[in-house]
Amino acid sequence: MESGLEELMPRLLPVDDCDLAEDFDPTVPPRTPQEYLKRVQIEAARCPDVVVAQIDPRKLKKKPTVNISISGCQPAPEGYSPTLKWQQQQVANFSAVRQSLNKHRNHWQSQHLDSNVTMPKSEDEEGWKKFCLGERVYSEIDAPSDNENLGIDYMKVGFPPLLSIVSRMNQATVTSVLEYLISWFGEKKFTPELGRWLYALLACLEKPLLPEAHSLIRQLARRCSEVRALKESKNEEQISALNLIICLVSRYFDQRDLADEPS
């Protein structure tokens, strides 16, 4: 059996017979190249030929779902579709914002953040949702009718996407936060806080897009079209915001199959 394995799996580190010290101990760090290679062989020989993975069946009860939809956006309801001129102007404005951001990124990175601004770690999904949207939106708490505080409590209303903040975010963080907010938006309503952050994160995305970012922005545009299609009354401000995101994804980031047909 061993000879058959040798033929199928020739040793990459052959060790010729060599005189090792009588007190050779494979459990201590090797002192010579021969001792190192011998130790590797001993460890390899202890590995079982077959390894069985221990799988927790409880984790398999919920079937994983993967969204690989390649469908386009839902058509805009009658009267909701933006004109081609409007879309072209938004793309031009967005391009100018991106150029300005890239030009002055180093300057804004050098600016000190206020003492109350603590940016979450990249992998802290819940922390970023609360940071961007505020505890009121995140927890779906109605804002008080009276002005109880003269100052702004950014923990409650969310931190705006200031240049001093977004300039500190690398591409991995930009993509992660974009994913967190799109996931939240998949089950929640569109809010001004969400719209501001989505616009800022899109402005920070570098081209050419990585596959993950490509998939995310397409998902975002489709979600915007779904929310827009459910609007019973034409809220000019919100419809314009949804149209803007669809426009930028489709026309600036070259996802033309998602573009609105001009009215």
Side-chain angles (χ1 to χ4, degrees):
M1 182 65 181
E2 291 183 358
S3 62
L5 287 175
E6 287 291 342
E7 294 177 1
L8 293 174
M9 302 172 60
R11 284 183 285 181
L12 297 179
L13 297 174
V15 180
D16 296 330
D17 293 335
C18 58
D19 295 330
L20 296 177
E22 293 182 358
D23 60 346
F24 170 67
D25 184 355
T27 63
V28 300
R31 295 167 294 181
T32 66
Q34 290 79 11
E35 288 185 0
Y36 169 76
L37 295 176
K38 191 63 178 178
R39 180 178 177 180
V40 171
Q41 277 197 332
I42 293 173
E43 291 178 351
R46 292 173 179 171
C47 295
D49 294 334
V50 179
V51 178
V52 179
Q54 299 298 324
I55 301 176
D56 186 353
R58 293 174 297 178
K59 296 182 179 181
L60 301 178
K61 289 182 179 181
K62 183 178 179 180
K63 296 182 180 180
T65 57
V66 179
N67 184 5
I68 56 173
S69 174
I70 58 174
S71 61
C73 290
Q74 294 191 25
E78 185 177 356
Y80 287 17
S81 181
T83 64
L84 179 58
K85 182 179 180 180
W86 182 88
Q87 295 183 62
Q88 292 173 336
Q89 183 61 54
Q90 301 312 312
V91 169
N93 294 343
F94 183 68
S95 179
V97 169
R98 285 172 60 90
Q99 292 176 14
S100 178
L101 177 60
N102 291 330
K103 181 178 180 181
H104 302 290
R105 183 180 298 275
N106 291 336
H107 166 75
W108 288 110
Q109 283 179 343
S110 65
Q111 301 301 303
H112 294 291
L113 295 175
D114 291 340
S115 59
N116 65 331
V117 180
T118 302
M119 295 173 61
K121 294 182 179 180
S122 179
E123 65 275 12
D124 185 1
E125 180 174 353
E126 301 306 311
W128 273 108
K129 289 177 181 177
K130 293 178 181 179
F131 183 87
C132 299
L133 305 174
E135 293 179 353
R136 288 174 179 167
V137 172
Y138 176 79
S139 304
E140 297 182 301
I141 300 174
D142 292 333
S145 57
D146 58 331
N147 186 8
E148 56 186 23
N149 294 315
L150 295 178
I152 299 176
D153 186 346
Y154 287 107
M155 296 302 297
K156 291 183 178 180
V157 302
F159 290 91
L162 302 173
L163 290 173
S164 56
I165 293 177
V166 298
S167 294
R168 285 174 162 79
M169 301 168 64
N170 57 30
Q171 283 300 289
T173 302
V174 169
T175 303
S176 294
V177 177
L178 189 61
E179 181 180 6
Y180 302 153
L181 295 184
I182 292 174
S183 174
W184 186 89
F185 183 33
E187 300 177 355
K188 306 293 183 179
K189 61 183 180 180
F190 187 86
T191 66
E193 295 84 1
L194 176 64
R196 286 192 290 267
W197 269 99
L198 290 175
Y199 186 93
L201 293 171
L202 290 177
C204 292
L205 274 183
E206 295 179 357
K207 296 177 70 174
L209 294 174
L210 295 175
E212 182 179 0
H214 177 272
S215 176
L216 282 173
I217 65 171
R218 290 183 62 85
Q219 180 183 345
L220 173 60
R222 285 194 293 267
R223 176 57 179 164
C224 286
S225 71
E226 293 172 358
V227 173
R228 181 181 61 182
L230 296 175
K231 292 296 178 182
E232 297 181 356
S233 60
K234 188 175 180 181
N235 181 323
E236 291 286 351
E237 184 176 351
Q238 190 165 109
I239 293 298
S240 293
L242 296 170
N243 284 346
L244 175 58
I245 294 176
I246 296 171
C247 169
L248 297 179
V249 170
S250 60
R251 298 193 180 274
Y252 183 86
F253 290 103
D254 302 316
Q255 308 302 308
R256 299 295 174 139
D257 60 306
L258 304 179
D260 281 320
E261 292 297 330
S263 58

